[in-house]
Amino acid sequence: MRAISIPDATMENYPWQVRAKTVGLTQRLLARLLGHHERTVSSQLRGHWKSGVPQHVKAAIIVWEMLTPEQRQQWLAAVERERMGSVSETPDRDADTVSIKQYRILEKRLAKLQDLNKKLANARGEKP
């Protein structure tokens, strides 16, 4: 197993948002890892709370700095697996939140179903 290196001390005084960005950790990605909304992560990184940037956000950034690209992918995969497992086990408070891509796919499927319903109604001689 590869030894984990501690981040350079020169990063200690960087704002956490810059520090995350420096190692390729976007707000979107950090939100996925932490299970928060992107706006929440944005507020957390800017220290909008009286207590400053939450410790778990700092910890996630520090860990991300120490991981290899392969380990980062493993972490993301594990988070996604957990997220998918929890979706089937418990109701999701944010179930109405879908990506734009998912929304467009659903929109196309709905349009096809509506078209099929019209055709079926016409074949039966019914008014849609």
Side-chain angles (χ1 to χ4, degrees):
M1 178 174 272
R2 181 176 100 64
I4 295 177
S5 64
I6 302 300
D8 188 6
T10 60
M11 291 295 278
E12 287 304 315
N13 295 322
Y14 273 52
W16 288 98
Q17 189 173 22
V18 174
R19 190 167 168 172
K21 201 174 203 178
T22 301
V23 291
L25 186 56
T26 63
Q27 289 181 8
R28 175 174 285 161
L29 190 53
L30 188 54
R32 279 176 54 200
L33 290 170
L34 298 175
H36 297 312
H37 193 279
E38 283 180 58
R39 281 177 271 172
T40 302
V41 169
S42 177
S43 295
Q44 289 173 330
L45 287 172
R46 291 187 175 125
H48 282 216
W49 283 266
K50 287 181 183 180
S51 59
V53 178
Q55 190 61 37
H56 71 281
V57 174
K58 293 177 184 179
I61 294 169
I62 291 169
V63 169
W64 191 262
E65 290 171 334
M66 295 187 303
L67 297 176
T68 66
E70 295 80 22
Q71 291 169 325
R72 292 172 180 176
Q73 289 304 315
Q74 289 172 355
W75 186 13
L76 280 170
V79 167
E80 289 300 315
R81 277 193 309 274
E82 178 62 28
R83 188 177 152 278
M84 296 310 290
S86 66
V87 167
S88 62
E89 295 168 10
T90 60
D92 187 1
R93 292 187 317 255
D94 300 319
D96 59 334
T97 304
V98 294
S99 71
I100 292 171
K101 183 177 178 181
Q102 291 169 322
Y103 178 79
R104 292 205 172 117
I105 290 169
L106 292 172
E107 197 174 43
K108 286 178 184 178
R109 288 181 182 168
L110 177 60
K112 285 181 182 180
L113 286 172
Q114 289 171 333
D115 188 44
L116 286 172
N117 278 338
K118 286 179 187 177
K119 288 178 183 179
L120 183 60
N122 287 338
R124 291 181 180 163
E126 302 170 356
K127 293 183 181 180

